[in-house]
Amino acid sequence: METDGGRTDTLQAFRDATMELDNVYSMFAKACGLSDAEYWSLVLIHEGVETQAQISGQLYLSRQTLNSAFKQLVRKGLVRLEPYEDNQRAKRASLTEAGRRFVSMHVIRMHEIEEQAWQRMPPEERTALTALTRKYTGLVRELLDSAQQAATE
């Protein structure tokens, strides 16, 4: 990715950096034979998130996109969907035995790579990266909400 003449203080440089990070995750998902939605769904199921609605909310994906990803994960034998006793419409997602093996071989490996990269950064950089990313995201979300409210008035 090319930045604005080597400058790192521009919006374009930040966009390039975030797109580069997104690309790293996409390449890993593809190397595992998964779409981005499938990969991140497996991560969240592994972390204990149970429903498609919860996963959709965390990933900011449409239900249609997520439903397609789940169909593929079920078809691949990595995930099982079972209705809750008290609500037959909602389904609990869980890893199959093959899914647990897949997560151990692929997803855990990515977590280890992420952790190694994270540990190579000094603590103050890790703190700053997290804080500034959240601040920027919050500001963009706030401005987007304001623009949407103004458009509906």
Side-chain angles (χ1 to χ4, degrees), residues 46-118:
H46 171 70
E47 292 175 352
V49 181
E50 292 187 339
T51 69
Q52 288 183 35
Q54 292 167 326
I55 291 171
S56 176
Q58 287 192 26
L59 296 180
Y60 299 102
L61 292 175
S62 72
R63 290 197 186 235
Q64 181 179 358
T65 298
L66 196 61
N67 192 43
S68 295
F70 266 76
K71 283 182 181 177
Q72 289 300 313
L73 291 170
V74 169
R75 187 185 64 73
K76 292 174 183 178
L78 302 175
V79 169
R80 146 178 64 254
L81 296 174
E82 301 169 326
Y84 287 97
E85 269 186 41
D86 59 340
N87 181 354
Q88 294 293 305
R89 288 186 51 188
K91 292 189 171 63
R92 174 185 302 126
S94 60
L95 296 174
T96 63
E97 185 57 39
R100 284 190 287 281
R101 283 193 308 270
F102 186 90
V103 166
S104 292
M105 286 176 49
H106 300 288
V107 175
I108 299 300
R109 188 177 80 193
M110 185 58 177
H111 282 199
E112 290 167 352
I113 290 168
E114 287 177 298
E115 185 62 34
Q116 288 172 14
W118 189 253

Side-chain angles (χ1 to χ4, degrees), residues 11-12 14 16 20 25 28 35 53 55 60 65 104 110 118-120 122 128:
L11 178 57
Q12 186 59 48
F14 179 74
D16 290 346
E20 192 173 337
Y25 283 109
F28 188 78
S35 69
I55 291 171
Y60 299 102
T65 298
S104 292
M110 185 58 177
W118 189 253
Q119 293 304 322
R120 288 184 179 185

